[in-house]
Amino acid sequence: MSAAETRGRAHDDGAQRLADRTAVITGAGRGLGRACAVRYAEAGADLLLLDVASDHPGVPYPLASPAQLAETARRCSEFGVEVVTSVADITDASTVDRAIDLALDRFGGIDVLLNNAGIAAPSGKPIHEIREDEWQLMLDVDLSGAWRLMKAVAPVMVEQRGGSIVNVSSTAGMVGYRNFAAYVAAKHGLIGLTRAAALDYAPYGVRVNALCPGSVRDDPLLEGRMLGEIARSLDVPADEHEAAFVQAQPTNSLVEPADVAGAALWLAGDEARQVTGSLLAVDGGFTVR
């Protein structure tokens, strides 16, 4: 009996949405990346988990660590799936290509790509104060990083005649935010990239969609810190910043990481087989206003 068949016996059919499939997840060390990785593992997917797993001199806060990436892998392995990790810098095409080769050598194919890796800062200043290197770094990570993964994975999916690419954008890809021009530009660009790619790959059965989370609570169990870093960039206390976001959302609550992970799972699976080029906002109604 194969490992996939064994896993299928351990879970009910409804939970095994991604059984016999392989998913690649970037930014898997913590936060939303970890939440999505665990949800995919629960659904039966074998995983390649990628993270830069080191700090960057241009990013004014600590990035995920090797230990955090290993912890994500440990939690995913508890569901009986095969999990491989790779330290990869998505601003470097050669490390991206090596990571994808690793997945192909281990699993033989790639069915889902979740482009989750991204940074929220350097931010917190008007356009005329943004330095050239700050602008370039934001676009290189939050936009070009996803393009590099798609460039590496799309030929595999084309040959397979099927696959799902989920690009994690943001409500910042749908509306503007004051003092976050580079981040907003990158996330808007990611939506444009998603739409163009959906047209490029639709003839081959490859779907490409954008997931747009709103203000997501920093769950200590996931070691997430995105909302906190946005508050720091704006030089406001984290609790005041969180309260302001709660008040701005029609549901009067922050989005939970599990809400985003559930949407990412739906976009990856067969239930969304006719969904491509779409934006799925998980934002408590924020962008409806």
Side-chain angles (χ1 to χ4, degrees):
M1 180 180 292
S2 69
E5 289 171 332
T6 301
R7 293 197 303 272
R9 297 260 181 114
H11 297 69
D12 64 84
D13 291 339
Q16 289 288 286
R17 297 184 188 180
L18 299 182
D20 302 315
R21 301 185 192 183
T22 296
V24 174
I25 300 176
T26 68
R30 68 186 185 198
L32 283 181
R34 179 179 291 176
C36 292
V38 172
R39 192 66 176 269
Y40 279 18
E42 185 180 19
D46 293 322
L47 299 169
L48 171 65
L49 305 179
L50 306 182
D51 204 289
V52 67
S54 64
D55 293 339
H56 189 288
V59 180
Y61 59 89
L63 300 177
S65 67
Q68 288 174 318
L69 180 59
E71 173 62 14
T72 300
R74 184 194 67 78
R75 296 190 189 188
C76 293
S77 296
E78 291 180 346
F79 292 97
V81 299
E82 186 172 359
V83 183
V84 178
T85 63
S86 180
V87 173
D89 181 353
I90 63 171
T91 68
D92 181 354
S94 63
T95 65
V96 168
D97 290 342
R98 285 196 295 271
I100 297 308
D101 287 343
L102 176 62
L104 295 175
D105 289 343
R106 182 65 65 90
F107 302 117
I110 297 171
D111 304 291
V112 181
L113 168 62
L114 178 66
N115 272 319
N116 167 74
I119 56 175
S123 293
K125 60 181 72 174
I127 290 173
H128 68 277
E129 294 182 7
I130 301 173
R131 300 195 311 266
E132 178 81 17
D133 63 301
E134 293 174 329
W135 177 269
Q136 293 296 342
L137 176 61
M138 185 66 71
L139 267 63
D140 203 18
V141 175
D142 286 15
L143 175 56
S144 297
W147 167 74
R148 292 185 186 95
L149 266 296
M150 292 169 66
K151 183 177 174 65
V153 170
V156 178
M157 293 183 172
V158 167
E159 185 175 354
Q160 295 171 173
R161 291 298 191 269
S164 175
I165 298 173
V166 181
N167 293 323
V168 180
S169 181
S170 166
T171 53
M174 304 171 70
V175 299
Y177 286 94
R178 183 180 291 113
N179 292 331
F180 279 82
Y183 183 75
V184 168
K187 293 301 187 179
H188 270 72
L190 186 54
I191 287 175
L193 177 63
T194 297
R195 287 171 163 159
L199 293 176
D200 284 349
Y201 299 116
Y204 307 100
V206 179
R207 299 182 295 106
V208 189
N209 292 288
L211 181 57
C212 299
S215 303
V216 181
R217 185 175 67 87
D218 288 336
D219 187 339
L221 294 177
L222 300 174
E223 302 180 90
R225 58 187 303 161
M226 183 68 77
L227 201 61
E229 289 307 325
I230 293 174
R232 186 203 56 76
S233 294
L234 296 174
D235 196 26
V236 298
D239 57 344
E240 291 182 15
H241 185 63
E242 182 174 308
F245 268 109
V246 169
Q247 185 176 10
Q249 297 198 168
T251 58
N252 294 124
S253 62
L254 292 176
V255 176
E256 293 293 330
D259 300 326
V260 182
L265 175 61
W266 181 75
L267 286 173
D270 291 339
E271 291 173 326
R273 60 185 175 273
Q274 289 295 332
V275 180
T276 194
S278 295
L279 314 183
L280 178 54
V282 185
D283 66 349
F286 177 81
T287 52
V288 175
R289 290 183 165 180

